[in-house]
């Protein structure tokens, strides 16, 4: 009887964790809005990619083997096409940029970041962000 109760508890806990993770997938979360401009240090690979040159950047990590990464590309193109010049897109291959991915804490694909014009990380999403969420994030910069 105790084994059945333990098994049921494990199943319930597993379902709860899975539901919580699925609920967060694609949601843009605020990350560095309170960062002080004086203490901000831009990673050289981000600077090389054009982050921090005065224009907000939507950076997303992808890989050829990642199916949902194509959906992120479509969302980013749709958002940036509405207001050309407002922000720039940078797509980095995870397999070619493992050090930067590790530095930014990328744990899964696709992962999308929104950096302000000074190169500070302001938002991030694991999964495919919605068009509305990405527009809202960019409009706040």
């Amino acid at each position: 009887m105790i084994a059945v109760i333990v098994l049921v508890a494990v199943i319930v806990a597993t379902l709860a964790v899975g539901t919580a993770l699925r609920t967060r997938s694609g949601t843009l979360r605020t990350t560095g809005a309170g960062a002080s401009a004086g203490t901000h240090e831009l990673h050289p690979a981000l600077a090389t990619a054009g982050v921090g040159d005065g224009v907000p950047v939507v950076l997303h990590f992808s890989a050829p083997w990642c199916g949902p990464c194509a959906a992120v590309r479509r969302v980013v193109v749709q958002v940036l096409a509405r207001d050309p010049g407002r922000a720039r897109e940078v797509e980095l291959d995870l397999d070619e940029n493992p050090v930067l991915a590790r530095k930014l804490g990328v744990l899964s694909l696709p992962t999308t970041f929104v950096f302000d014009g000074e190169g500070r990380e302001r938002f991030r999403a694991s999964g495919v962000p919605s068009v509305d969420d990405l527009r809202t994030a960019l409009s706040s910069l």
Side-chain angles (χ1 to χ4, degrees):
M1 184 64 167
I2 292 177
V4 171
I5 293 172
V6 170
L7 179 61
V8 169
V10 168
I11 291 171
V12 168
T14 302
L15 290 173
V17 169
T19 301
L21 291 175
R22 191 172 35 252
T23 302
R24 278 184 47 162
S25 181
T27 303
L28 277 168
R29 298 177 313 279
T30 303
T31 55
S36 163
T39 61
H40 174 67
E41 185 177 328
L42 188 63
H43 190 281
L46 286 173
T48 301
V51 174
D53 65 356
V55 177
V57 172
V58 178
L59 181 144
H60 52 106
F61 280 90
S62 64
W65 45 265
C66 171
C69 294
V72 172
R73 280 185 216 103
R74 288 189 297 272
V75 167
V76 173
V77 166
Q78 184 178 353
V79 169
L80 297 183
R82 186 174 185 184
D83 192 6
R86 169 87 175 102
R88 182 176 42 257
E89 173 189 20
V90 173
E91 181 174 359
L92 296 176
D93 187 306
L94 176 72
D95 297 327
E96 294 174 6
N97 298 281
V99 173
L100 182 58
R102 210 170 15 259
K103 170 85 174 150
L104 293 173
V106 175
L107 300 176
S108 64
L109 288 180
T111 297
T112 305
F113 297 89
V114 177
F115 291 92
D116 65 16
E118 295 177 23
R120 291 185 302 246
E121 179 186 328
R122 301 291 296 274
F123 301 93
R124 87 167 35 209
S126 296
V128 182
S130 73
V131 169
D132 290 338
D133 282 353
L134 190 54
R135 280 189 183 132
T136 301
L138 285 171
S139 70
S140 72
L141 302 180

